Amino acid sequence: MSVQTLGFIGLGLIGGSIVKTVRRIHPDIRMIALSGRQSTITKAFEEGLIENQKNASVEDFSECDIVFLCTPVQQNLVYLKQLKDVIKESCILTDVGSVKGDIHQAVRELGLEAHFIGGHPMAGSEKTGLANATAYLLENAYYILTPTASVDTSYVRKIRDFAASLGAIPMVLDAGTHDAATAAISHLPHVLAATLVNFVKESDNPEETMKTIAAGGFKDITRIASSSPVMWEEICLANQKKLLFMLDAYQKSLSQIREKIAKSDASGIGSFFQAAKDYRDSLTVTPKGRLKTVFELYCDLIDEAGGIATIATILASNNLNIKNIGIIHNREFEEGVLKIEMYDRVSYDRTVALLRKYHYTVYER
């Protein structure tokens, strides 16, 4: 793909995960990085991820084929200005932010439209920093690209192919469509999760009964409230208009179900939950147009110390590598259930057979 040198400004969860993925899949690509902390650069260098032992300067990115802006939105805008007179003619500038309007506007004002392709890997975690970055975070995740109207189509193909080579699923959208979509499926849920957590905190009694008995459903729906407050402050302000539109629309939907409950409208309430279930069940784990899928199964988990370790040991002793594992708190299952995700069909089939051999109850999806 004629990508020889990559530059990274910021090595947090997303930037760090891209670096680790590149190092795993394309070990010959040279990578340099700039970070707000020298300790982050030192750690990345010691792990063999980047070339520079000391923090890079903006001028060091002059020979990069692609520069990834991986800092918060407002900081990315500052670095854009600094990069303008540094990058080479064929360099592609991209970012990883979840809001595209502000950065596209800045790109236009700086005359950098010929170089810029917005990027947003639809992957993440409530955890932050290089320490929580993984070499598999992008796998099977949508990687949204928002090219400017002036960027060469060959640049779009180049970064699209590069994202695909990392195991992600590239999708090209215009910036406005992207921001409206993420306002609904990413930004609004984060606001709702934080609102619910604050509501329970303020509504609880002195004995903290609510906090004490908060279980699976509450923890699942509010997990993302543990995300970085600084990041979400910036996102809410950067995508203010579209997020406010979604919040207003959501309030109307909430009022409608409130009215049905107030009127004891059993049929309306049932239809409300049925429509939600049908739509939620229709969300595919296999991205359209791709052969990749998610090889996951569910296994009844005995409520005893070492239950997860026992299963992990069984699989490891049979040379089966687990991609992801975790407890699911879901009343769809009568007891605790363990979700196990494997890397491929062969490993998945072997895991199912092996666990059943040891008399575990396995649910396939």
Side-chain angles (χ1 to χ4, degrees):
M1 292 175 292
S2 67
V3 176
Q4 297 179 346
T5 304
L6 299 178
F8 290 84
I9 297 181
L11 282 179
L13 178 72
I14 300 299
S17 293
I18 296 175
V19 167
K20 289 183 178 182
T21 305
V22 171
R23 183 58 69 224
R24 175 175 64 86
I25 296 175
H26 303 296
D28 295 332
I29 289 181
R30 179 175 177 270
M31 292 185 284
I32 61 173
L34 183 161
S35 173
R37 297 180 180 178
Q38 174 60 43
S39 59
T40 300
I41 295 297
T42 300
K43 180 176 176 59
F45 176 79
E46 290 175 348
E47 292 182 8
L49 300 175
I50 59 175
E51 306 298 322
N52 55 301
Q53 188 171 5
K54 293 184 178 180
N55 211 348
S57 65
V58 172
E59 289 71 22
D60 292 330
F61 295 96
S62 61
E63 295 303 315
C64 290
D65 299 301
I66 305 174
V67 175
F68 290 84
L69 294 160
C70 307
T71 65
V73 177
Q74 295 304 315
Q75 291 183 40
N76 281 343
L77 302 185
V78 173
Y79 282 116
L80 269 177
K81 296 177 183 178
Q82 297 177 15
L83 288 165
K84 179 178 179 180
D85 296 323
V86 171
I87 58 173
K88 63 183 181 180
E89 185 63 30
S90 61
C91 179
I92 299 173
L93 294 174
T94 188
D95 72 323
V96 297
S98 67
V99 181
K100 288 288 158 278
D102 283 359
I103 197 162
H104 271 270
Q105 180 179 343
V107 164
R108 286 192 296 271
E109 292 173 353
L110 290 168
L112 286 170
E113 290 183 282
H115 292 274
F116 188 75
I117 300 172
H120 180 201
M122 298 292 288
S125 166
E126 70 277 13
K127 299 179 180 179
T128 60
L130 180 64
N132 294 300
T134 77
Y136 294 93
L137 188 68
L138 301 179
E139 196 162 276
N140 287 335
Y142 281 107
Y143 198 122
I144 310 300
L145 300 173
T146 60
T148 68
S150 302
V151 73
D152 195 290
T153 55
S154 66
Y155 287 10
V156 180
R157 287 195 300 271
K158 183 175 184 177
I159 200 163
R160 183 187 62 201
D161 291 347
F162 185 70
S165 77
L166 302 182
I169 305 161
M171 176 185 290
V172 178
L173 296 175
D174 68 83
T177 300
H178 168 275
D179 285 358
T182 55
I185 57 95
S186 177
H187 306 163
L188 177 62
H190 276 81
V191 172
L192 299 183
T195 301
L196 181 56
V197 170
N198 288 332
F199 172 77
V200 169
K201 176 186 176 183
E202 294 163 3
S203 303
D204 211 350
N205 58 26
E207 292 75 30
E208 295 190 326
T209 302
M210 294 182 184
K211 181 179 181 180
T212 301
I213 66 174
F218 179 79
K219 290 181 178 178
D220 285 346
I221 199 172
T222 60
R223 174 184 57 81
I224 55 178
S226 294
S227 300
S228 166
V230 174
M231 178 179 73
W232 282 100
E233 175 187 322
E234 288 203 355
I235 287 174
C236 287
L237 295 177
N239 206 22
Q240 182 188 58
K241 184 176 180 180
K242 289 182 171 59
L243 179 55
L244 287 175
F245 176 85
M246 294 299 174
L247 276 168
D248 291 342
Y250 182 81
Q251 284 182 322
K252 291 180 182 178
S253 296
L254 201 59
S255 296
Q256 290 170 0
I257 184 57
R258 185 194 184 284
E259 184 177 358
K260 289 180 173 62
I261 295 171
K263 291 181 178 179
S264 299
D265 180 1
S267 177
I269 294 170
S271 296
F272 169 82
F273 283 105
Q274 186 64 53
K277 181 184 186 318
D278 291 344
Y279 187 75
R280 178 62 179 83
D281 290 347
S282 74
L283 298 182
T284 177
V285 297
T286 306
K288 294 180 180 179
R290 303 281 294 190
L291 295 178
K292 293 184 178 180
T293 188
V294 177
F295 301 101
E296 60 186 22
L297 57 98
Y298 300 83
C299 174
D300 276 347
L301 184 65
I302 300 173
D303 187 12
E304 62 182 16
I308 297 177
T310 299
I311 291 175
T313 300
I314 290 172
L315 300 184
S317 62
N318 285 271
N319 297 315
L320 289 167
N321 295 322
I322 299 171
K323 179 178 180 181
N324 199 5
I325 188 169
I327 297 174
I328 297 295
H329 303 288
N330 191 326
R331 293 298 151 227
E332 179 181 351
F333 303 98
E334 293 182 1
E335 301 178 10
V337 68
L338 193 68
K339 175 183 173 182
I340 304 172
E341 185 178 351
M342 308 304 290
Y343 282 100
D344 52 53
R345 170 59 65 180
V346 173
S347 298
Y348 172 88
D349 291 340
R350 286 184 60 204
T351 299
V352 171
L354 193 59
L355 292 178
R356 285 175 175 163
K357 174 184 175 182
Y358 283 92
H359 308 295
Y360 285 96
T361 300
V362 176
Y363 307 90
E364 297 186 72
R365 287 298 179 89

